[in-house]
Structure formats: structure tokens, C-alpha cells
Amino acid sequence: DLHSFPTRRSSDLKEGIDACKAKGNAAFQGGKFGDADKCFSACIAIAKTLSGYDAEQTSMLFSNRASLG
């Protein structure tokens, strides 16, 4: 049931994006490009759900992911 899922505040989601982005950056620096791709893709998916999430930051997430290809 959809209503049984806990709701998330946008501030929680933004913190989640920051944490996920840091994890993706660390994976990239460690040469774990598949893991980095998963992290950046997750960040993008979360960012798309947030109304008003900064477009420049979202663009940066896409750029980070594109640099893996």
C-alpha cells in the first residue's frame, strides 16, 4: 500500500543527494566506475522528484555521470 510508506522531507532528500554524490565521487576516485554510475544515477532520480531542486546542481550530476562513459 502506497500510503504505508513514510514520507520524506525535501531537506532529507537533499541531504541524501549530497551523501550519494559524495559516495559517487569516492567511487570514481577509487576507480569503481560502475559504482559511481549507480550513485550518480540515484542522485539524478532523487533530484527529479524534488520541485525546486537547483537546475545547476542537477546538471552537474548529469555531467558527473556522463564523464564515466
Side-chain angles (χ1 to χ4, degrees):
D1 180 9
L2 181 61
H3 299 289
S4 66
F5 289 103
T7 57
R8 302 275 186 214
R9 295 180 310 197
S10 62
S11 61
D12 292 339
L13 293 174
K14 288 177 184 175
E15 289 175 15
I17 291 172
D18 291 340
C20 189
K21 185 170 57 172
K23 186 176 178 180
N25 287 332
F28 179 83
Q29 290 174 356
K32 297 178 181 179
F33 303 120
D35 290 345
D37 181 55
K38 289 177 187 176
C39 289
F40 294 132
S41 294
C43 290
I44 291 166
I46 296 168
K48 286 181 177 181
T49 67
L50 291 173
S51 62
Y53 189 72
D54 186 77
E56 186 175 328
Q57 291 177 340
T58 302
S59 178
M60 189 181 330
L61 293 171
F62 277 101
S63 294
N64 287 351
R65 188 177 68 179
S67 70
L68 297 168

